[in-house]
Amino acid sequence: MTDNTADTPAGPVLAADGRPLKASLNRALRAQKIRALLLIAPLLLFILITFILPIADMLFRSVENQIVRETLPRTVAAMEEWENHDEAPGEDVYAGLYIDLFEAAEFRRHTRVGSRLNYEMTGISSLFRQAGRGVGRFDTDIYTDQFTDLDAAWADYATWTGLMGDSAIRAALPETAAAFDTWVRITIEANEDDPAEENIEDFVYLSLYRDLAGSGYSGSNALLSAAAEAVGGFESISIRDQFEDLDEDWLNPELMETIWVYSPSYTPGYFLTAIDMQLSADGITSQPEDRQIYVTLFGRTLFMSLVIMGSCVLLGYPIAFLLANLPMRVSNILMILVLLPFWTSLLVRTSAWKVLLQQQGVINDILVWVGLVADDARLQLINNQTGTIIAMTHILLPFMILPLYSVMQTIPPSYVRAAKSLGATDWTAFWRVYFPQSIPGIGAGCILVFILAIGYYITPELVGGRTGTFISNRIAYHISSSLNWGLAAALGSILLGVVLILYWIYDRIVGIDNVKLG
């Protein structure tokens, strides 16, 4: 027996270029994948920018709440010590609120935080606007006068920069250091002035008084030591009373509790509002009955979308069946009629339904003329759920017909003829042979129509009235009118979640693999 081992080449198989064949194949596959990725990169980038990033931004806005803590940092910090929420907080909270509002007013931010809190408690926005104008007129100049009367050096900017440049003094007078830094920032950034040429604001002297009266001063600075000894005899005022004089609602515990509850940087408040709940100091509670609207809107949206989907199936299936079984020439002409609505503006079609459905409209006139309806008992077909269902069924019907028609065209007519030749009746041949093969088209049409219907806005807005609007109309209202983008984002996120859950249920029951478009 001959041994051919010596004739077999040793080592890896080489390609024509001398490289190992396996490495060459991997390199070729890698280059092919890179080319494929480059081909789809524009589409991926388009989807990322126009779809993924907006959804991520929407999800972030639904929980983001940084404006309260960033605008009212001293107030939020002082509220940590507020225990009895049945009464208005103490002087420390209002002193912090005074400086926070002064700074916010200078930077034109007080109206923004007022608008944010107004979503949770009506009337807060006007209070913040009023306070933005009023905090500058508080009687805190009494502290300025007393310190400068004690020693004229307190009016000198150089004195303050020297004191605030000492880390030990800053640690001993934390409120004063923070207030001085705030005043410098306001002077430079908001007013675009030179702090050395401006008078130091009263709230800096208020903070100095609070630090010296509260914890005193035990350092070696003579100016501060003299001031610490003198503040015990200073005349003082209550910032809390100043806010009460501005508007007694500032002492409303519910208002201050709203500020406290919505002070975290991230909040579930928007999502709770979207399901008719609310966040309070006691935890999660139900909204007042007169504000519970969103669960009803979600239920109405799902119900009407299902009704519209069912109506499209009932009307679209016979039309698609007719188109699929007529001669091609006739079918093409009728298909033009199905596609004709796409050439007309959605707004025009919806406006046409307003004319047709109103009580003095064409449909009621025909019903009265035929004698089916009395002239004094005309049907109410618009500004309700009926009008929305009729108009949206007409608008979305082509989206049901086209998938059905595409699937029905692939069903061989010979199957039905074979069933009839074996003794089946027309109904049995249709129900047992033809209909099961058209189910994938029904599934595709139902998904398409339902998803389009659940997010529709224009048609329900124009013909739905008070009872025929969808949750999408409320989302649009919060985006364009109330500017409550956080709640709009939460509503949109819940709607997206509901659609995904229903899609998952559909996949489990029917199977998404059974859905076909032809």
Side-chain angles (χ1 to χ4, degrees):
M1 182 175 182
T2 305
D3 188 1
N4 295 325
T5 305
D7 298 333
T8 303
V13 179
L14 302 178
D17 58 358
R19 298 174 182 271
L21 181 60
K22 185 175 181 180
S24 296
L25 288 174
N26 289 336
R27 183 180 180 185
L29 288 174
R30 187 164 55 251
Q32 186 178 6
K33 291 179 180 179
I34 292 174
R35 284 196 299 270
L37 179 62
L38 291 176
L39 286 173
I40 65 172
L43 178 60
L44 288 176
L45 188 62
F46 176 79
I47 293 175
L48 177 67
I49 294 174
T50 63
F51 187 71
I52 304 298
L53 290 181
I55 289 179
D57 180 67
M58 176 185 70
L59 293 173
F60 176 73
R61 285 181 181 273
S62 64
V63 296
E64 187 270 335
N65 190 55
Q66 298 172 3
I67 186 172
V68 178
R69 182 172 291 272
E70 290 177 353
T71 308
L72 307 174
R74 297 173 181 84
T75 310
V76 173
M79 280 184 168
E80 296 285 351
E81 306 299 326
W82 182 30
E83 296 180 354
N84 186 4
H85 287 239
D86 293 329
E87 298 179 359
E91 183 72 11
D92 289 346
V93 172
Y94 287 96
L97 181 62
Y98 163 59
I99 301 176
D100 286 337
L101 283 177
F102 192 100
E103 179 183 8
E106 291 293 330
F107 284 98
R108 306 293 190 270
R109 292 197 298 258
H110 62 295
T111 55
R112 291 175 54 203
V113 70
S115 297
R116 165 64 189 97
L117 294 170
N118 197 71
Y119 301 146
E120 313 303 334
M121 182 178 178
T122 304
I124 293 184
S125 179
S126 60
L127 283 176
F128 271 81
R129 284 197 300 270
Q130 180 191 45
R133 298 187 298 267
V135 289
R137 298 191 294 270
F138 278 11
D139 296 331
T140 49
D141 57 346
I142 188 175
Y143 297 109
T144 305
D145 295 339
Q146 291 178 100
F147 274 106
T148 54
D149 290 344
L150 179 66
D151 194 316
W154 283 115
D156 190 358
Y157 175 71
T159 300
W160 282 94
T161 55
L163 292 174
M164 294 299 105
D166 188 327
S167 59
I169 293 177
R170 292 183 68 90
L173 308 174
E175 283 193 41
T176 307
F180 181 76
D181 293 343
T182 297
W183 171 72
V184 171
R185 184 168 58 252
I186 291 172
T187 305
I188 295 175
E189 298 179 11
N191 300 331
E192 298 181 352
D193 292 324
D194 183 359
E197 300 176 356
E198 299 296 321
N199 294 325
I200 298 171
E201 284 291 349
D202 298 334
F203 67 80
V204 180
Y205 293 97
L206 166 67
S207 299
L208 177 61
Y209 171 80
R210 285 175 51 80
D211 275 333
L212 295 177
S215 57
Y217 175 72
S218 58
S220 58
N221 185 279
L223 184 64
L224 282 174
S225 297
E229 293 178 3
V231 292
F234 278 12
E235 181 183 353
S236 64
I237 62 168
S238 170
I239 303 299
R240 192 173 185 265
D241 293 343
Q242 296 286 307
F243 272 100
E244 184 178 16
D245 292 340
L246 186 65
D247 195 307
E248 61 181 12
D249 284 340
W250 280 111
L251 267 62
N252 182 358
E254 185 180 356
L255 182 148
M256 302 305 291
E257 184 180 78
T258 301
I259 297 176
W260 167 243
V261 168
Y262 289 93
S263 61
S265 298
Y266 300 95
T267 177
Y270 291 122
F271 278 101
L272 292 174
T273 302
I275 56 173
D276 293 335
M277 307 292 285
Q278 63 181 348
L279 196 62
S280 68
D282 298 326
I284 299 173
T285 59
S286 298
Q287 288 275 9
E289 191 172 343
D290 60 340
R291 297 184 63 182
Q292 296 180 10
I293 61 173
Y294 295 112
V295 172
T296 301
L297 278 174
F298 274 115
R300 180 194 300 168
T301 299
L302 291 174
F303 168 74
M304 293 179 66
S305 296
L306 289 172
V307 172
I308 291 166
M309 181 190 73
S311 301
C312 287
V313 171
L314 294 177
L315 295 175
Y317 195 96
I319 297 174
F321 180 83
L322 183 65
L323 292 173
N325 289 278
L326 284 174
M328 185 61 66
R329 182 178 179 182
V330 179
S331 176
N332 288 339
I333 295 175
L334 294 179
M335 180 59 71
I336 293 175
L337 298 179
V338 173
L339 299 176
L340 191 61
F342 289 123
W343 304 341
T344 308
S345 167
L346 174 63
L347 187 60
V348 172
R349 281 181 282 164
T350 304
S351 300
W353 277 111
K354 286 179 67 71
V355 175
L356 292 172
L357 295 175
Q358 60 185 320
Q359 285 191 305
Q360 302 301 322
V362 177
I363 294 177
N364 266 302
D365 285 344
I366 293 175
L367 293 176
V368 171
W369 178 69
V370 172
L372 295 177
V373 174
D375 189 40
D376 58 349
R378 289 173 175 254
L379 300 179
Q380 183 67 39
L381 300 176
I382 200 171
N383 296 328
N384 52 26
Q385 293 186 14
T386 303
T388 300
I389 291 172
I390 293 173
M392 287 187 61
T393 299
H394 165 253
I395 291 169
L396 296 177
L397 188 59
F399 295 98
M400 178 65 72
I401 294 174
L402 293 176
L404 283 170
Y405 173 72
S406 299
V407 171
M408 288 178 178
Q409 267 198 322
T410 64
I411 301 175
S414 57
Y415 289 2
V416 176
R417 291 198 298 268
K420 290 180 180 180
S421 68
L422 294 174
T425 63
D426 290 343
W427 170 251
T428 302
F430 168 78
W431 185 248
R432 300 290 297 276
V433 177
Y434 191 90
F435 182 77
Q437 296 182 80
S438 66
I439 287 178
I442 296 176
C446 286
I447 289 179
L448 192 58
V449 169
F450 180 79
I451 292 178
L452 288 173
I454 205 172
Y456 241 62
Y457 159 68
I458 295 178
T459 304
E461 182 72 17
L462 293 178
V463 301
R466 187 176 61 85
T467 61
T469 53
F470 285 8
I471 192 65
S472 54
N473 298 102
R474 202 65 187 174
I475 295 173
Y477 165 77
H478 286 306
I479 289 176
S480 60
S481 297
S482 74
L483 302 181
N484 190 349
W485 288 13
L487 180 54
L491 292 170
S493 299
I494 292 175
L495 187 62
L496 176 62
V498 168
V499 171
L500 292 177
I501 291 172
L502 292 175
Y503 182 84
W504 177 80
I505 294 174
Y506 180 89
D507 182 42
R508 298 289 295 179
I509 297 176
V510 178
I512 200 65
D513 294 336
N514 295 323
V515 174
K516 296 180 182 178
L517 293 173

